[in-house]
Structure formats: structure tokens, C-alpha cells
Amino acid sequence: MTMQNASRAQQRLCDRGFDIAVDGDFGPISHAALISFVGRKRSISRLRLALGGAMAREFPKVGLERPLRLAHALGQQSAETGGFGSLVESLNYSVAGLRATFSRSRISNADVQRLGRKPGERALSTDRQRQIANIVYGGSFGRDNLGNTQEGVGWRYRGRGVKQLTGRYNYTTHADTLKLPIVEHPELLEDPLQGVRAACHFWDSRGCNALADRDDLIGLTRRINGGTNGLAQRRDAMERAKAILVS
């Protein structure tokens, strides 16, 4: 992929311990190294290598070869995926984390205490994570904001892909563009290529480039997240991306 100051960005990644070529071609390996650095990972995993290939192929189609835009996109995506560690949403929340993330209108204090992870407890079971998803992505909020009109579909349409596409409405609106049966098979977005394609469609269809061009982190976070959840993590990841791509 052709990108402004690509060789400089590659050299900066090399300086931070990534063994990549400095050749001006910001391709799959360069992207994989970049997202590893942005996500505070020391090595390029198999998943991040696959994501790097998908990003090199798909990002230029929506204008993400520009350094500032790319820095903002990766900052958002890193926060959504735990540093590019997983393409499916985890609802393994502690009691405190669950309460801090979702308002009382989304989940009651009683359900937070009942379902959240207690101190010393291991990861939540799939059943408890499913219950959390069906509560926070269900009810009137899920119906009005996510298109989850049927009971119990919050878990089925939980976040997936590098954008963490969430809700039946979003899966439905992306299905035709992606030409994928993701309403019937939402797990298809756990594939790196399809997860990146979905994120690119969301980014482009929501006019995110204009916000990135203005360096508007808060506006972009609201556009993508619907609020400002995880703003500190998004800012940190964006600044790490900028250190390689922009400054």
C-alpha cells in the first residue's frame, strides 16, 4: 500500500523492535507490526498477521492510507478489540467493570452483582456472559438502538470484527454491502478479512474520515461507540499510532 512517509513509519517500527523491511511498501507485515505496537503487543500473532493482510487490502478503498486517518481508525479499533487480540466481544466483566460500562437503565445493580465477576473468581462462564449480553443489548435500548426486537438475541449479535459491529440492525445493514449472510451466520465476522471489511464499510458509511481529518477524537468516538466508553484507551492507542505515522 502506498502511504505518505511509509519508509519513516517502517523505520520507527524497526526501532521499536519489529523486524520488518524498510522499503516504502506499507503492506501486510508493516500493518501487522503497526497494530501490534498500537495494541501494546511485543510480537506479531497469527491473528494480527491476518489482520495486517486484510488491512493492506481493504483500507485504501476507504481512504485509510492517509496517516492521520489511519492513526484514528487504529486507535478506535485497538480499543474495541483489546489491542487486536480478539474479533469477538468478551463480556467477562467484573462487578465494577460492568457497572462502569453500562448505565442503570441498561442493567440493574442487582443483575450487576448477580452476573459480574467477583474478586478471585475466574473468567465468567459462557452462560453468564450470555445473560449479560441479552440484558445490556436487549430491552428497550436494544429494540430502539440496535434492532434487537426479539428476546435473547443480544448475545447472538454481540460485537464482532475490528469495529465490533453490534446489534441485529447493524448486521442487517452490512449484510447486503458485504454480500455475506451475517444475519443468519454472525460468526462470519470473526474472520479477519470479513471483520476488516465490515469495519471499513462502517467507517465509510458513517463519514468517519471527516472527523479523523479534523483530529476529533471525541466526535469520532461518539460516532463509532455511541458514547465515550473507553475514551482513555482510544486516546492512548491513537497516540501510539500517531507516534509511528504522523509525528
Side-chain angles (χ1 to χ4, degrees):
M1 182 179 88
T2 301
M3 185 180 73
Q4 183 181 5
N5 297 321
S7 293
R8 185 183 69 180
Q10 290 171 324
Q11 184 59 58
R12 288 175 172 175
L13 288 166
C14 288
D15 293 343
R16 287 160 174 81
F18 292 94
D19 184 16
I20 63 172
V22 180
D23 58 6
D25 179 11
F26 211 84
I29 300 297
S30 296
H31 276 86
L34 176 60
I35 64 175
S36 298
F37 175 76
V38 169
R40 293 186 176 274
K41 304 296 192 294
R42 294 187 176 183
S43 61
I44 299 174
S45 67
R46 183 175 299 179
L47 172 60
R48 288 186 288 280
L49 184 59
L51 287 172
M55 290 171 176
R57 167 180 157 172
E58 298 297 322
F59 277 5
K61 298 177 183 178
V62 293
L64 288 177
E65 73 276 28
R66 297 188 185 182
L68 183 59
R69 292 178 179 180
L70 181 55
H72 273 280
L74 295 184
Q76 295 291 328
Q77 293 166 5
S78 179
E80 295 282 349
T81 59
F84 300 99
S86 176
L87 297 186
V88 61
E89 181 180 11
S90 169
L91 288 111
N92 180 34
Y93 285 103
S94 66
V95 169
L98 187 55
R99 181 70 291 155
T101 303
F102 299 102
S103 69
R104 286 174 175 78
S105 65
R106 300 276 296 278
I107 184 167
S108 68
N109 281 333
D111 281 334
V112 166
Q113 293 295 327
R114 178 174 66 89
L115 295 171
R117 193 179 68 253
K118 312 301 188 297
E121 187 177 15
R122 295 193 176 192
L124 294 182
S125 67
T126 299
D127 180 64
R128 280 166 69 184
Q129 292 192 49
R130 181 183 293 110
Q131 290 183 64
I132 291 171
N134 287 335
I135 291 171
V136 300
Y137 296 142
S140 59
F141 176 88
R143 182 187 64 245
D144 296 341
N145 295 279
L146 299 174
N148 290 341
T149 56
Q150 296 179 325
E151 186 175 350
V153 300
W155 174 255
R156 179 175 176 82
Y157 297 113
R158 66 194 186 278
R160 289 185 177 86
V162 295
K163 188 274 164 196
Q164 294 289 278
L165 200 70
T166 306
R168 193 180 194 280
Y169 172 79
N170 282 318
Y171 278 75
T172 301
T173 57
H174 283 65
D176 288 342
T177 299
L178 299 176
K179 293 182 171 54
L180 286 174
I182 56 176
V183 176
E184 297 81 6
H185 301 284
E187 69 279 0
L188 290 172
L189 290 185
E190 297 171 35
D191 173 77
L193 176 59
Q194 306 309 335
V196 168
R197 289 182 66 220
C200 286
H201 178 249
F202 185 96
W203 180 274
D204 190 49
S205 65
R206 299 304 194 278
C208 293
N209 277 333
L211 291 166
D213 289 342
R214 294 199 296 269
D215 208 10
D216 184 357
L217 172 65
I218 293 177
L220 190 55
T221 299
R222 287 176 174 154
R223 184 73 53 88
I224 288 172
N225 177 258
T228 56
N229 284 343
L231 183 62
Q233 294 94 323
R234 294 169 200 271
R235 187 183 303 279
D236 175 74
M238 178 199 67
E239 293 296 346
R240 288 176 69 82
K242 280 185 174 181
I244 299 298
L245 298 168
V246 179
S247 61

